Amino acid sequence: MSDVPDNANEHCPGTTSEQAGKTSSCQGCPNQKLCASGATKAPDPAIAEIGLKLSTVTHKILVLSGKGGVGKSTFSAHLAHALASDSTKEVALLDVDICGPSIPRIMGLEGEQVHQSGSGWSPVYVEDNLAVMSIGFLLSSPDDAVIWRGPKKNGMIKQFLRDVDWGELDYLIVDTPPGTSDEHLSIVQYLSSTHVDGAVIITTPQEVSLQDVRKEIRFCQKVKLPIIGVVENMSGFVCPKCKNTSQIFPPTSGGAERMCADLNLPLLGKIPLDPRIARSCDEGKSFFNVVPDSPAAKAYQSIVQSIQDYCSNHVTEEQSTT
């Protein structure tokens, strides 16, 4: 749990629990007196600080996946590239996958470092209007392992949101780790005082992936995080010569389309497999610049347009209710 201190006893109920400091497992814990006083149940002051810090960010989008390896970070990076292709928009990409930060490599920023300024950490810029922040910039080597428990990872996420000098942004894209773990609870908690447009959920067509995505959807519903829609990645392979489509990962249970229909969620689109996407990520280049007319690039562009339309309509709805 995200509210269990590093030095807590085994079976700690959590500092915000009604049983904090009162159960048998609390006996002898160095935090028992503080927890029993009720002080730990007060809201984290960082939540208000983050709300103030991010008040200059118009749209905040989380990218989630139930399972690893479905292309979530690849999608996050290309969503950021696509939004930043409009030079009038300011875009930032935040990587909160603390133990597996791949964004620096995908964005062509490996070896870059974060600099401290009077107004906080300065993000690393890909373009004049595209900023990136990742724990990967704080490691001495891309091969260094981050072996942290939940509270330390949560502290780093708090720092990214509160201490990075994001400036005025039109879009902040948050690339999360797979699953529904501490990082997800923290990002939702810390952004609770801000307006989050919603989450884009990435899956692949096969049932083994969809099974975990349903858990991710339940998580969003439980924490009241709006779902912008679902993207089916690796959805068939279009042969570059004959143009025929082959199903590499067969949608045995109907794929994301069937799942979205059953759960009444928008299917934002299907992105076909294209080896050039993987190659562009390894080389730190935008896939849109490499093969802009490919079926995968066109699918991306359609999905990005749907996300932009959703965000615009969300703002209009909010303005009409205030």
Side-chain angles (χ1 to χ4, degrees):
M1 289 187 295
S2 61
D3 60 342
V4 175
D6 274 333
N7 60 347
N9 290 350
E10 191 178 2
H11 307 305
C12 169
T15 57
T16 57
S17 166
E18 288 299 320
Q19 299 302 312
K22 302 173 183 175
T23 67
S24 57
S25 61
C26 298
Q27 298 299 318
C29 176
N31 308 297
Q32 183 180 13
K33 189 174 180 180
L34 182 64
C35 289
S37 72
T40 56
K41 298 182 183 67
D44 187 336
I47 294 174
E49 294 169 6
I50 290 167
L52 183 62
K53 186 79 171 186
L54 299 184
S55 61
T56 56
V57 180
T58 307
H59 300 294
K60 305 166 196 72
I61 301 168
L62 273 59
V63 181
L64 310 174
S65 72
K67 186 174 288 297
V70 299
K72 173 183 48 57
S73 295
T74 299
F75 179 85
S76 298
H78 284 89
L79 174 59
H81 275 302
L83 293 171
S85 65
D86 180 350
S87 60
T88 66
K89 302 297 183 185
E90 296 292 330
V91 182
L93 174 58
L94 172 59
D95 180 7
V96 298
D97 192 345
I98 304 298
C99 294
S102 53
I103 288 297
R105 178 62 181 250
I106 295 173
M107 301 300 283
L109 298 173
E110 268 193 336
E112 296 287 341
Q113 293 185 331
V114 173
H115 299 286
Q116 187 84 23
S117 69
S119 50
W121 286 349
S122 297
V124 178
Y125 282 83
V126 184
E127 307 285 349
D128 289 341
N129 66 330
L130 177 52
V132 179
M133 178 56 76
S134 169
I135 194 174
F137 300 139
L138 306 177
L139 303 177
S140 57
S141 163
D143 297 331
D144 284 353
V146 179
I147 308 171
W148 288 355
R149 293 187 185 276
K152 198 166 183 180
K153 290 191 284 186
N154 300 335
M156 179 56 69
I157 293 171
K158 184 193 297 186
Q159 272 194 282
F160 281 155
L161 294 171
R162 183 187 59 192
D163 298 341
V164 173
D165 183 17
W166 295 110
E168 293 191 5
L169 294 175
D170 294 287
Y171 294 96
L172 174 64
I173 313 301
V174 182
D175 181 42
T176 66
T180 54
S181 55
D182 274 348
E183 293 93 327
H184 304 82
L185 290 169
S186 293
I187 199 78
V188 170
Q189 178 189 8
Y190 292 140
L191 292 177
S192 61
S193 63
T194 73
H195 161 74
V196 178
D197 290 79
V200 176
I201 300 177
I202 314 299
T203 186
T204 48
Q206 69 272 40
E207 177 58 28
V208 71
S209 178
L210 295 169
Q211 190 174 34
D212 287 340
V213 164
R214 293 187 189 95
K215 297 180 178 72
E216 198 78 36
I217 291 166
R218 298 285 183 270
F219 168 81
C220 291
Q221 291 168 342
K222 283 187 175 182
V223 299
K224 296 180 171 55
L225 177 64
I227 298 173
I228 298 174
V230 176
V231 173
E232 184 176 271
N233 199 21
M234 309 183 198
S235 182
F237 168 70
V238 180
C239 176
K241 293 186 177 179
C242 70
K243 307 301 180 186
N244 286 334
T245 301
S246 302
Q247 295 298 332
I248 307 297
F249 302 114
T252 52
S253 60
E257 190 168 359
R258 173 70 179 274
M259 181 193 72
C260 287
D262 291 344
L263 299 176
N264 195 28
L265 291 173
L267 176 64
L268 296 174
K270 300 179 180 183
I271 302 171
L273 273 167
D274 190 324
R276 294 168 296 186
I277 296 178
R279 189 179 304 121
S280 67
C281 289
D282 283 348
E283 295 173 354
K285 298 176 181 176
S286 168
F287 176 68
F288 302 123
N289 295 337
V290 178
V291 275
D293 296 323
S294 67
K298 290 177 179 177
Y300 261 113
Q301 288 157 2
S302 173
I303 291 166
V304 171
Q305 186 60 57
S306 296
I307 293 171
Q308 287 177 301
D309 292 344
Y310 173 94
C311 291
S312 298
N313 293 336
H314 222 200
V315 169
T316 305
E317 287 172 8
E318 283 208 331
Q319 289 173 344
S320 64
T321 57
T322 55

